[in-house]
């Protein structure tokens, strides 16, 4: 029998302006948490049905009914039909309302032993684990694009620069894999954020536990967490910590991507013309017909500043909070979700640009001036027995003698690990395979946990 649930589940006497101010953007942001809230509820109600009490709070048969209804809610969410009403305030109350509409008094039991504080904490961690893996996939895809570009460019000579000035001979392959390796290494920061998110806060309630025999290890098992946050008080305070840690990883990724974008802007300028950007990813001018602007790459720099700002804002929110739950933690949700969206979009767009980018081997070679060979020639003299400082001054005082140097020959002469003729693309390909397997394994594990709970 369906019950009248038009009244809000929580206090409906709050001033409308206060309600709007406190609810904030949760009704929109929480739509992405619907699946994870249903998972958390499914695990919690399963655990409630297994508690050893004189009289069951929820029977196993009732828990099964709740899980089946939660599976329906997830389907609605996946089809864009899940709604968080104004009087719901958030995803937790929306799910509870729908369960109560469908199951009557049984729906009113699901909040037993929980607070919205630990609900949102577990929702965010489940959401975060999934998002980190999907962000990692996009990192792998961008790095794969750079490695393919490196393979095409091969040992094509490219002027290496320091302080933006011509420095030493490099190659297209070295440039591309240098950026690829920097980006790939950022997966370590994402994995650190993943490990922090992979700890279960559920069962802490408002931060001090409840007088019921909750089996928190059981919900950790059901939800696929590696372990439980032992201290309930600590679990309540850990909310925001995960978001800030992930934002730190995202900010570092964006900083590395911004440097790649800047190189692509500079090297595609007509004055350089080493690279050519795909026109479909450039924009024109309203007044200058000839223009094809690297607006997307310029926006990477701007959006990097936004993600750094979100990280700073999250840490600033946390640094002055007293122990226990505080409502301003709510604002961290917007920061981390926006940071995720910005970073993931940037990774996808950059992969497309790199896939469509070409290089001009002639322009790359034409850019070599005699001074670029100075260090290599000086070291060649050292190999013949001349002291380094003498070789240095001799070359510096006679740069005109370097005009006969061949950029291809100089590139081919450097063979130690990681230099122009010592780049091993297999190293990158093997790492990419390893990371792809890690991501696939963990996404499969999460999906299996979802299917087991929501059936």
């Amino acid at each position: 029998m369906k019950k009248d649930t038009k009244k809000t589940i929580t206090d409906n006497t709050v001033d409308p302006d206060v309600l709007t101010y406190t609810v904030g953007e949760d009704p929109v942001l929480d739509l992405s948490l619907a699946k994870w809230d249903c998972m958390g509820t499914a695990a919690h109600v399963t655990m409630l049905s297994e508690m050893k009490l004189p009289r069951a709070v929820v029977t196993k048969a009732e828990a099964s009914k709740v899980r089946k209804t939660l599976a329906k809610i997830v389907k609605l969410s996946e089809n864009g039909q899940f709604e968080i009403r104004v009087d719901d305030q958030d995803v937790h109350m929306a799910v509870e309302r729908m369960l109560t509409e469908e199951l009557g008094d049984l729906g009113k039991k699901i909040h037993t032993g929980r607070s919205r504080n630990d609900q949102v904490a577990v929702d965010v961690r489940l959401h975060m684990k999934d998002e980190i893996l999907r962000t990692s996939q996009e990192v792998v895809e961008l790095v794969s694009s750079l490695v393919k570009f490196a393979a095409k460019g091969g040992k094509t000579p490219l002027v290496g620069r320091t302080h933006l000035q011509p420095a030493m001979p490099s190659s297209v392959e070295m440039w591309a894999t240098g950026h690829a390796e920097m980006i790939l290494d950022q997966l370590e920061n994402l994995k650190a954020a993943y490990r922090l998110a992979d700890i279960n806060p559920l069962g802490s309630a408002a931060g001090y536990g409840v007088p019921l025999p909750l089996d928190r290890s059981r919900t950790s098992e059901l939800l696929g967490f590696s372990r439980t946050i032992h201290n309930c008080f600590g679990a309540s305070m850990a909310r925001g910590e995960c978001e800030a840690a992930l934002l730190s990883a995202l900010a570092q990724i964006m900083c590395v991507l911004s440097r790649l974008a800047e190189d692509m802007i500079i090297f595609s300028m007509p004055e350089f013309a080493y690279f050519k950007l795909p026109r479909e990813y450039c924009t024109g001018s309203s007044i200058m017909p000839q223009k094809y602007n690297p607006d997307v790459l310029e926006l990477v720099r701007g959006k990097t500043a936004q993600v750094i700002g979100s990280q700073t804002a999250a840490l600033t929110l946390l640094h002055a909070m007293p122990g226990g739950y505080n409502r301003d933690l709510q604002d961290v949700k917007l920061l981390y979700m926006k940071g995720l969206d910005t970073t993931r979009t940037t990774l996808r767009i950059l992969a497309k640009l790199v896939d469509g980018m070409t290089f001009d081997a002639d322009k790359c070679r034409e850019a070599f001036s005699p001074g670029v060979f100075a260090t290599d020639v000086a070291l060649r003299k050292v190999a013949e027995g001349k002291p380094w400082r003498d070789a240095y001054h001799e070359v510096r005082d006679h740069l005109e003698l370097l005009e006969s140097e061949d950029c291809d020959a100089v590139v081919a002469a450097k063979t130690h690990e990681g230099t122009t003729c010592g780049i091993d693309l297999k190293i990158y390909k093997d790492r990419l395979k390893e990371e792809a397997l890690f991501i696939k394994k963990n996404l499969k594990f999460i999906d299996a946990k979802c299917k087991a709970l929501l059936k």
Side-chain angles (χ1 to χ4, degrees), residues 233-252:
F233 180 54
S236 72
M237 288 194 294
R239 186 179 165 201
E241 178 190 359
C242 281
E243 293 93 318
L246 178 53
L247 279 167
S248 177
L250 297 176
Q252 288 180 268

Side-chain angles (χ1 to χ4, degrees), residues 100-343:
T100 306
E101 287 173 351
E102 182 73 22
L103 303 172
D105 286 345
L106 176 55
K108 297 177 182 179
K109 295 181 180 182
I110 65 160
H111 200 59
T112 303
R114 286 196 302 182
S115 166
R116 283 191 291 181
N117 304 336
D118 65 341
Q119 277 185 269
V120 68
V122 79
D123 291 4
V124 164
R125 285 171 184 260
L126 290 170
H127 175 264
M128 193 177 293
K129 285 172 62 179
D130 186 73
E131 286 287 324
I132 288 171
L133 292 170
R134 297 189 189 282
T135 304
S136 298
Q137 275 184 323
E138 287 153 355
V139 168
V140 166
E141 287 163 11
L142 172 57
V143 172
S144 297
S145 297
L146 282 165
V147 171
K148 288 174 187 174
F149 185 78
K152 291 176 186 175
K155 305 301 184 286
T156 301
L158 182 71
V159 174
R161 295 173 184 272
T162 62
H163 309 277
L164 272 180
Q165 304 302 307
M168 292 180 68
S170 179
S171 67
V172 172
E173 180 183 55
M174 191 176 195
W175 175 86
T177 54
H179 280 290
E181 191 158 352
M182 283 289 290
I183 296 166
L184 192 56
D185 284 345
Q186 300 310 306
L187 289 178
E188 297 305 314
N189 293 320
L190 285 176
K191 286 177 183 175
Y194 186 90
R195 288 193 295 272
L196 195 58
D198 196 23
I199 314 172
N200 183 22
L202 188 58
S204 65
Y208 303 97
V210 294
L212 290 170
L214 302 183
D215 188 346
R216 299 182 63 215
S217 295
R218 176 64 171 144
T219 57
S220 293
E221 176 194 352
L222 290 167
L223 292 169
F225 284 108
S226 62
R227 64 179 175 88
T228 305
I229 299 177
H230 176 66
N231 187 294
C232 289
F233 180 54
S236 72
M237 288 194 294
R239 186 179 165 201
E241 178 190 359
C242 281
E243 293 93 318
L246 178 53
L247 279 167
S248 177
L250 297 176
Q252 288 180 268
I253 290 172
M254 288 297 292
C255 284
V256 174
L257 298 183
S258 187
R259 295 184 71 179
L260 169 64
E262 183 68 1
D263 268 9
M264 290 168 71
I265 290 170
I266 293 170
F267 292 163
S268 63
M269 289 169 59
E271 291 81 358
F272 289 84
Y274 305 157
F275 302 155
K276 186 174 182 180
L277 301 175
R279 281 194 171 185
E280 61 267 31
Y281 298 115
C282 298
T283 59
S285 166
S286 64
I287 191 172
M288 296 171 282
Q290 84 282 9
K291 292 296 291 295
Y292 288 94
N293 302 316
D295 290 40
V296 171
L297 296 171
E298 292 166 351
L299 286 171
V300 171
R301 297 186 312 218
K303 292 190 183 297
T304 298
Q306 291 178 24
V307 177
I308 293 170
S310 293
Q311 178 207 13
T312 303
L315 292 171
T316 305
L317 275 169
L318 292 172
H319 91 281
M321 284 186 190
Y325 172 75
N326 300 274
R327 188 62 181 262
D328 32 350
L329 279 168
Q330 172 180 297
D331 289 339
V332 183
K333 189 193 299 178
L334 171 63
L335 296 171
Y336 109 84
M337 285 189 172
K338 180 64 176 173
L340 267 171
D341 181 64
T342 300
T343 305

Side-chain angles (χ1 to χ4, degrees), residues 22-36:
T22 54
V23 169
E25 298 184 57
D26 275 3
V28 176
L29 297 176
D30 280 12
L31 290 172
S32 62
L33 297 179
K35 173 182 176 180
W36 310 112

